[in-house]
Amino acid sequence: MRGLRILLIVVVILGALFVVVDRVAVHFAENEAASKVKTDENLATTPDVSIKGFPFLTQVASGELDDVELGIKTYEAPTGNTTGGASTIRIDDLKADMKDVKFSSGYSSAIAATATGSASISYDQLLKAAKSQPTDVFTGVKAQLVSLSDGGDGKIKADMKVTVTGIGTTTYPVLSTVTVVGNTVKVHADNLPKLVVDLADSRIRSITDFQQTITELPGGVKLDSVQAAKGGVDIKVKGSNVNLAG
């Protein structure tokens, strides 16, 4: 009995040591991965990397991690704009859950079989894609989008300022639908104010309707869907064969 008791104590101690070593190893790996993602993606701050699953060391031995979560507070996404507009747009709170992450023997690269996640674009950032200056829509009439906000029921409320020479300025709220087509976020007015439509529908639409292309997201994930929300536009992303690092 005494020998069995000693054996059990040894097993418990070894098990505890294994857990400690495993957790130290995963913490080190997370820090190394975060540092590499920061460098590869040219980020201003170090992202959060969380390696899920236990034990970590057996996953390393197999050359594949079951589940890795990546969090990037802010990301300047290229827009592909070369005509004087904003060359990047700020993406906030980008989170990606990557499954079946295989890494090279030298740990220089890691590729996830699939990835899903979320992010957001503030209304101030999205507004930069609209025309920035008042635009002539009719003789003596200028119009401009001045703000975007949550319109409820998944709609964006776009405030359009219309200035009529000799009369004054009026702001019209316009409810708009936001969608994703490929790598582009599109905003389309559902209806235009009757007064404005009487003046020049197509010209007004050139102001209310606009789009923002996002040519690149970390690891090669793609835009999947978009939804108007309180603080901005909520985005869903997804991808396959996503580069976590390398």
Side-chain angles (χ1 to χ4, degrees):
M1 289 297 292
R2 185 170 182 273
L4 180 59
R5 188 180 299 114
I6 292 173
L7 178 61
L8 289 174
I9 292 173
V10 170
V11 170
V12 170
I13 292 173
L14 290 177
L17 287 174
F18 176 77
V19 171
V20 170
V21 171
D22 190 81
R23 293 303 88 190
V24 170
V26 74
H27 181 68
F28 176 79
E30 288 170 344
N31 288 340
E32 288 297 304
S35 179
K36 186 165 182 57
V37 171
K38 179 183 179 182
T39 300
D40 291 348
E41 299 293 344
N42 194 29
L43 303 176
T45 60
T46 303
D48 294 323
V49 174
S50 179
I51 300 173
K52 303 298 183 179
F54 177 83
F56 166 69
L57 293 175
T58 58
Q59 295 183 68
V60 172
S62 71
E64 182 174 319
L65 303 177
D66 297 334
D67 189 355
V68 178
E69 293 181 355
L70 173 66
I72 299 176
K73 191 65 177 176
T74 59
Y75 177 75
E76 293 294 333
T79 63
N81 196 327
T82 59
T83 60
S87 59
T88 63
I89 183 170
R90 192 185 75 241
I91 307 292
D92 296 319
D93 298 321
L94 176 61
K95 298 176 182 177
D97 186 10
M98 303 184 176
K99 303 292 188 182
D100 303 325
V101 181
K102 294 183 179 180
F103 50 88
S104 63
S105 58
Y107 305 105
S108 59
S109 66
I111 299 177
T114 61
T116 57
S118 61
S120 65
I121 301 175
S122 70
Y123 287 121
D124 286 346
Q125 284 289 307
L126 188 59
L127 184 62
K128 293 179 180 180
K131 292 183 178 180
S132 59
Q133 299 296 325
T135 300
D136 291 321
V137 294
F138 201 75
T139 303
V141 179
K142 293 180 180 291
Q144 177 188 10
L145 286 187
V146 293
S147 70
L148 302 176
S149 60
D150 181 20
D153 296 326
K155 301 292 184 179
I156 292 177
K157 182 170 79 73
D159 288 328
M160 182 174 60
K161 184 172 68 175
V162 177
T163 301
V164 181
T165 302
I167 296 177
T169 299
T170 303
T171 299
Y172 294 92
V174 178
L175 288 180
S176 301
T177 298
V178 58
T179 57
V180 164
V181 179
N183 63 351
T184 301
V185 177
K186 294 189 174 184
V187 178
H188 177 79
D190 295 348
N191 294 289
L192 300 178
K194 182 64 176 175
L195 174 62
V196 176
V197 173
D198 286 343
L199 295 176
D201 181 277
S202 62
R203 294 179 185 178
I204 287 295
R205 280 213 172 270
S206 72
I207 300 168
T208 60
D209 296 5
F210 62 95
Q211 61 186 42
Q212 176 63 73
T213 297
I214 299 173
T215 60
E216 184 181 334
L217 288 171
V221 295
K222 305 294 185 182
L223 297 175
D224 183 35
S225 63
V226 65
Q227 176 80 38
K230 184 176 180 180
V233 172
D234 289 342
I235 296 170
K236 297 295 184 184
V237 299
K238 67 178 181 179
S240 57
N241 296 322
V242 175
N243 288 309
L244 176 60

